[in-house]
Amino acid sequence: MSTPRLLDAGIVVTGVGPVSRHAIGRAELAGVATEWSDSPARDEWLRPLDAFDAARRLGRKGWRALPPAARYAMVAARLAGEDARLDADLDGNLVGVVLGTNFAADETVDRFDRAVLAEGVRGISPLEAPNFSINVAASQVSVDRGYRAFNITLIDLFTAGSSALWTACQALEDGRAPVALAGAAEGRPPRQSTEVLAPTLDEGAACLLCLETTDHAAARAARPLGQVRAGAQLFVPAAVVEAPDRLDALTHSLLDGAVRALPAGLSGVDVDVVRPPASARAEAVAAAAIRWTAARTDAALVGGPDGGRAAAQASATAPLRLASQLARRTTASRALVQVVIGPEGHLVVLVLSPTA
Amino acid sequence: MTTAIQQHLDEIREIAAEVLEIEPEEITETSSFAEEHEADSLRAIEILARIEKKYNVEIPQAELPKMVNLRAVYDVVAQHAGWAA
């Protein structure tokens, strides 16, 4: 589908829950100068998540048998809920969970493979056996918080976190629930993923946003960080990527349509074009989005000197960058458009306006 | 209590504590895994699996309902491992 969907009901972001090597929690995120860009190439391809202390964040029990991505997701969910000041007694039937991930299960599956080859089935721990499933992180968020409205896991490479945010927005717009926690959680990536994402990757990260219908947020006097006005996702065929005119026609009409959802009176549009630096295909699509930005007198690229080339947190990269910008936004007059492009041709667009 | 029995009890206590995510000292010979240490069926199977691996012994899953505390686990393992009473 190449037509953006404009949201009528109004979906607002009322909290963010970042977990990354740069920052854990909104306060830290707001103080970080980085634009979530990738560091220049260095000796090691994998950067540790040293600052994450599961026992401190989750207590002494209930997480040790879970994969790291599930632990990060659970902490991100708690942080997002706290940031949004969600009532701890909120009816779980009112809250859905949508999570994107690429590598939540990779480390577990790899370990299981080696154990089976070395020891047979006895090498697999029964307690860890469920962790081979890619949806374990999202499921554990729902189990931990008691959220039962819906639970969805998406896995498109790099764009899954943004797809999750957009899917959650649509679910709220369609009345499935008034609240959702959505974003991404990542575990340790396999080394070969550096070939399509970035030369240096993080061993894990997560970022969940608390999304609410405007009515629900207003009823509990929440303080929104931004309002999602429109979104879109589509697959850009390789043949289109190779034809700049067709690529511009496709992406520009999509972006033109999406920003029509913005209210009048804004002073401009900030555009964050997020794509993995290792992907020429993503870069080609990004160039089309950058051309669209350049053609608008009221638009400006954000993302720092890298221009949005970042993928160290895989599918959590874009939600982290979005949360970072929402947490640090000081001007209430500019819209924010995030264009997220994956190495396999997925494109996700989110259009947000400031809130009064 | 003989040294061998105590050693086995301590080893099983370590295994159970790790699976139940508590300190070994919290597990007494008669404290209930389910009621006092929040064990569920999956954790019970995990304890069984680790014990089988450590002692290279096969314990039928039909024995699981008996394995409600440290002493009971020891008794089941001792029976199937042929440990002298």
Side-chain angles (χ1 to χ4, degrees), chain B residues 55-82:
Chain B
Y55 298 115
N56 196 25
V57 61
E58 284 202 22
I59 300 170
Q61 290 210 1
E63 298 279 26
L64 265 177
K66 295 182 194 169
M67 300 166 72
V68 295
N69 57 36
L70 180 62
R71 186 74 216 187
V73 172
Y74 173 83
D75 289 342
V76 169
V77 179
Q79 178 192 339
H80 289 276

Side-chain angles (χ1 to χ4, degrees), chain A residues 60-65 119 122-123 125-128 130, chain B residues 20-21 26 37-38 42-43 45-46 49 52-53 56-57:
Chain A
R60 63 194 286 249
K61 293 184 67 173
W63 52 267
R64 293 178 197 276
E119 304 175 60
R122 238 183 177 190
S125 149
L127 198 54
E128 276 196 283
Chain B
L20 298 173
E21 299 179 81
E26 295 177 59
H37 304 309
E38 301 174 27
L42 191 55
R43 289 181 195 274
I45 292 171
E46 178 73 20
E52 285 186 325
K53 201 169 172 181
N56 196 25
V57 61

Side-chain angles (χ1 to χ4, degrees), chain B residues 1-10 13 29 71 74:
Chain B
M1 190 180 298
T2 68
T3 306
I5 293 175
Q6 188 60 54
Q7 184 183 334
H8 283 138
L9 276 169
D10 288 344
R13 192 195 314 270
E29 286 194 29
R71 186 74 216 187
Y74 173 83

Side-chain angles (χ1 to χ4, degrees), chain A residues 106-131:
Chain A
D106 273 61
E107 192 176 4
T108 302
V109 171
D110 184 59
R111 192 169 64 251
F112 282 7
D113 283 349
R114 292 174 194 279
V116 168
L117 287 171
E119 304 175 60
V121 71
R122 238 183 177 190
I124 295 179
S125 149
L127 198 54
E128 276 196 283
N131 295 346

